[in-house]
Amino acid sequence: HATRFVGVLGVRLEGFTVHGRGLRGTTALRLRTSYNAKLLQLRIVAQGGDGIRIPCVVGDNDGSNMISLDQVRVENCGGWGIDTAGEPGFNETSFVRLQQVFIQACGTNNSGPLPTSGGMRHKGQILTLDQCAFTINENVALFIPGQAGLAQSIDISGTAFENNRKRHLLCTGVSGFKARNIQFYNKDANRADIACEFSGATH
């Protein structure tokens, strides 16, 4: 950063709906190298791809950081409802906070060993989920992939995982994880195979 730093500071998005038509690959909101961004009282519906995507990829000076989502609903997206996972070797998406965020009916059924879509995927530094809900998502509600540049410092509180298909929570690598006051729930007609799974087979 000694020569030049490129990024967007202070984005604020508040009080609107992005309603897609389920077209393949569409994403409602994409924030790349964004800092001190606030997403407030939004509703994201029927995207063919991800609802909200915050990438960290080759060529970025750094990942996005200081991102807050408050009272946001993401529903019926074919990809990830929210995707904040950096590419392998990257975990610089930092200080992401979700408060009263509802992710419902996201993902497209896949048969592989790891989910390719679902409620939320995260690999970055310092994620906080407070009073959130994940319901009827395909494959997995929350996926923390183990890759080079592990996720670290994940803190979840007062959050519900209800009627998700296959898994509520899957983590294949993390450095520092804390969860408290969590609900895992499925009714008979909509059962998860596994509620909570941590696998260190690769990381």
Side-chain angles (χ1 to χ4, degrees):
H1 303 324
T3 55
R4 187 168 72 103
F5 182 78
V6 178
V8 177
L9 176 65
V11 171
R12 185 182 178 99
L13 303 172
E14 181 174 1
F16 61 85
T17 295
V18 180
H19 200 300
R21 293 179 291 168
L23 299 177
R24 185 175 180 179
T26 59
T27 295
L29 300 176
R30 186 173 186 268
L31 305 177
R32 183 176 173 192
T33 57
S34 297
Y35 307 89
N36 194 19
K38 296 183 182 298
L39 282 59
L40 308 169
Q41 297 180 334
L42 303 180
R43 184 169 181 245
I44 309 298
V45 188
Q47 302 300 311
D50 303 328
I52 299 172
R53 176 82 175 100
I54 306 174
C56 183
V57 300
V58 173
D60 291 346
N61 287 91
D62 207 340
S64 297
N65 61 58
M66 298 178 289
I67 307 292
S68 68
L69 285 71
D70 291 281
Q71 297 182 337
V72 173
R73 291 183 67 96
V74 183
E75 306 170 67
N76 300 306
C77 296
W80 296 101
I82 298 175
D83 189 0
T84 58
E87 290 188 351
F90 291 81
N91 73 349
E92 286 82 10
T93 303
S94 306
F95 313 118
V96 177
R97 183 180 63 83
L98 279 63
Q99 185 171 33
Q100 296 181 348
V101 172
F102 196 100
I103 303 172
Q104 176 173 276
C106 292
T108 302
N109 183 36
N110 74 278
S111 58
L114 295 177
T116 57
S117 64
M120 180 176 180
R121 179 173 65 170
H122 174 78
K123 184 165 72 73
Q125 303 176 84
I126 312 175
L127 170 69
T128 302
L129 304 180
D130 181 30
Q131 298 181 16
C132 295
F134 296 82
T135 66
I136 57 175
N137 295 288
E138 290 287 348
N139 306 313
V140 66
L142 176 59
F143 178 39
I144 303 160
Q147 296 173 338
L150 287 177
Q152 67 172 21
S153 302
I154 293 175
D155 188 347
I156 307 174
S157 65
T159 291
F161 296 82
E162 296 186 354
N163 294 316
N164 297 289
R165 301 183 177 105
K166 297 183 183 176
R167 292 181 176 97
H168 291 307
L169 171 64
L170 171 62
C171 176
T172 59
V174 70
S175 177
F177 181 100
K178 178 171 64 177
R180 58 200 182 281
N181 298 332
I182 304 301
Q183 179 190 38
F184 294 119
Y185 170 83
N186 283 86
K187 60 184 179 182
D188 289 343
N190 195 7
R191 296 190 179 207
D193 299 323
I194 300 170
C196 180
E197 179 177 3
F198 287 81
S199 172
T202 56
H203 288 82

